[in-house]
Amino acid sequence: MGTKILWRLSQQKNNAHHDDTATNTDNPTTTTTKNQRHFEEEELEFHRIRKLQRMDEILKDQNNNLHDDGQSPSLIITTPPQRPLTEIINQSLVVGQEVALTAILLAVHREIVIHEESQELDTSNNGPLNDLSQKSSLAMLIVYATLLIIVYYNRQSSTRNQQQQQRRKIAIVRLSDGLFLAALLRFISGVLRTLTASYSTDTVYALAISGMAIHLLACDYKYANGVLSVDVEGVPSTNTSPAHPRPAFLGGTVSLNAAFFSTVLLVSRIKSNASSYAFVSSVVTLFAFYPASRHNIAGSYPNTIWGSPCFIITFTLSLAAWLLISSFEKLLFGSLQLLLFVISPCLQWRLQRHKQIITGPWDIAHIHISK
């Protein structure tokens, strides 16, 4: 249709050209100039029409290559395999662990501050710091028992996945790191208490809660479930190497920094050097050393819920947090755990049947090398 319209326009211009030539026969020079100008215009118009015709042909070829449903032959739509509900719930357990650890951190700090204030008010009671309430003592015993469970299952998973020489190197490195940090924190515990002492209490608690929220959002839960990230060359990243056996932290550096930032803020409200040292050491153990052990345990016991190490650790940590928090906090904590362990997995399991993976020429090409 567009080609016919352009052809008619060119015919009208040619007719106008002949009319101008007939009216200017008395002046041959003017007629020759006009004829040359019209010839050039007609040649440009001819090339423009030919260009439009080629564009129309290209568009027709593209329309002929399309399917009846309007999709390109290179467009591929696949449905991923549906995962069982038990696998989805098992992968959500690590999120509940981080929530429980965050609640334990904030609740233990509150217990320490309340105990120190009660000692100042009651001078006749000069008992040690461990003289807390019965629930708090029971919660700390549960946390210590959980650490023993983690150590046991981490040793079992390391025995399965690593050689004896490699395990010995990692154990030596971990022991040296632990002793170095223990000595360093003991000397700088007094400095840590005074870093943010000038901040108001409301500001400290607001920043600490914000930092722990960032910790929960930035944590690498894929690594926590035993899955290693893949680098640019498609090779899985590892936290150790034969040349450098010192393990690297792969659980999310932003998450770890946010947890330490909140810890430094909270330590400024603790008045005893021994209490601040114990508090910071516990945070380093739970938030810096534990993610690697959790990764090994989750990789050795995948897709299991009842009786699995991940379920036992999540249950004990949640129980310890439940004993430390108040009534209103228990309501919030229980609602959040219900959302993480029941509602969200069931919703994801229900909606995964509607999930589709669309691949096409816009995707980045990946090179797969057959072994």
Side-chain angles (χ1 to χ4, degrees):
M1 180 64 69
T3 306
K4 292 181 179 180
I5 293 174
L6 292 174
W7 181 79
R8 290 177 182 176
L9 290 175
S10 63
Q11 291 295 326
Q12 292 176 1
K13 289 185 179 181
N14 290 333
N15 294 334
H17 163 66
H18 291 303
D19 294 339
D20 293 340
T21 304
T23 55
N24 293 301
T25 53
D26 54 346
N27 192 351
T29 305
T30 305
T31 302
T32 303
T33 305
K34 288 184 177 181
N35 289 338
Q36 186 177 1
R37 186 173 64 252
H38 281 295
F39 179 76
E40 293 175 355
E41 291 178 357
E42 289 176 358
E43 187 177 3
L44 293 175
E45 187 71 17
F46 175 76
H47 289 295
R48 190 171 67 87
I49 292 173
R50 290 295 300 169
K51 185 177 181 180
L52 292 174
Q53 289 177 350
R54 287 196 298 268
M55 293 177 63
D56 291 338
E57 293 175 357
I58 293 173
L59 291 176
K60 288 180 181 179
D61 293 338
Q62 291 181 355
N63 292 329
N64 293 330
N65 291 330
L66 294 177
H67 292 297
D68 296 334
D69 56 356
Q71 294 179 354
S72 175
S74 59
L75 186 65
I76 301 175
I77 299 177
T78 58
T79 301
Q82 296 187 3
R83 298 185 300 165
L85 181 61
T86 54
E87 180 182 352
I88 299 175
I89 296 176
N90 183 65
Q91 292 184 353
S92 66
L93 292 177
V94 294
V95 186
Q97 289 182 19
E98 289 297 323
V99 174
L101 289 174
T102 301
I104 291 173
L105 172 67
L106 298 176
V108 167
H109 176 267
R110 182 176 58 190
E111 291 287 342
I112 293 175
V113 172
I114 292 175
H115 179 69
E116 290 182 346
E117 291 179 352
S118 63
Q119 280 187 336
E120 289 183 355
L121 296 177
D122 187 9
T123 57
S124 61
N125 185 11
N126 293 325
L129 184 62
N130 295 328
D131 188 14
L132 300 175
S133 62
Q134 184 177 1
K135 290 184 178 181
S136 300
S137 302
L138 180 59
M140 297 309 299
L141 288 176
I142 294 175
V143 172
Y144 296 147
T146 305
L147 292 176
L148 294 177
I149 295 174
I150 293 171
V151 171
Y152 171 75
Y153 281 110
N154 183 40
R155 181 176 178 82
Q156 295 294 325
S157 60
S158 300
T159 304
R160 293 183 179 183
N161 302 327
Q162 297 173 354
Q163 298 178 357
Q164 183 176 2
Q165 185 178 3
Q166 186 180 6
R167 292 198 308 269
R168 186 181 295 108
K169 289 182 179 180
I170 295 176
I172 293 174
V173 170
R174 286 295 191 187
L175 181 61
S176 62
D177 289 345
L179 294 176
F180 175 74
L181 287 176
L184 181 63
L185 291 175
R186 186 64 185 93
F187 285 108
I188 67 172
S189 60
V191 179
L192 292 176
R193 286 195 310 107
T194 58
L195 283 178
T196 57
S198 59
Y199 291 8
S200 63
T201 303
D202 295 337
T203 302
V204 167
Y205 287 141
L207 290 176
I209 294 175
S210 301
M212 295 310 298
I214 295 174
H215 164 75
L216 292 175
L217 295 176
C219 183
D220 191 354
Y221 296 108
K222 185 177 181 180
Y223 175 78
N225 280 311
V227 180
L228 286 174
S229 60
V230 179
D231 57 11
V232 179
E233 298 179 355
V235 179
S237 302
T238 57
N239 60 346
T240 59
S241 63
H244 303 281
R246 186 175 301 278
F249 185 81
L250 301 178
T253 55
V254 176
S255 176
L256 180 64
N257 290 331
F260 286 167
F261 171 74
S262 301
T263 302
V264 173
L265 290 172
L266 294 175
V267 164
S268 64
R269 294 300 174 266
I270 299 177
K271 300 178 180 179
S272 172
N273 290 336
S275 301
S276 62
Y277 168 69
F279 182 74
V280 176
S281 300
S282 301
V283 170
V284 171
T285 302
L286 294 176
F287 291 96
F289 290 156
Y290 172 58
S293 301
R294 179 172 55 191
H295 169 78
N296 295 331
I297 294 172
S300 301
Y301 303 91
N303 303 331
T304 56
I305 298 181
W306 312 112
S308 66
C310 190
F311 174 78
I312 295 174
I313 295 170
T314 304
F315 176 77
T316 54
L317 290 177
S318 300
L319 180 60
W322 183 269
L323 294 174
L324 289 170
I325 58 181
S326 61
S327 300
F328 178 71
E329 294 170 348
K330 289 180 180 178
L331 178 62
L332 296 179
F333 182 76
S335 302
L336 184 57
Q337 297 293 69
L338 180 66
L339 176 65
L340 292 175
F341 298 151
V342 180
I343 299 177
S344 180
C346 292
L347 186 62
Q348 185 179 0
W349 176 75
R350 179 70 177 176
L351 295 177
Q352 67 177 344
R353 66 186 65 180
H354 304 290
K355 183 179 180 180
Q356 291 181 339
I357 300 176
I358 302 176
T359 57
W362 56 81
D363 290 326
I364 301 175
H366 296 281
I367 300 176
H368 299 279
I369 301 175
S370 59
K371 296 182 179 179

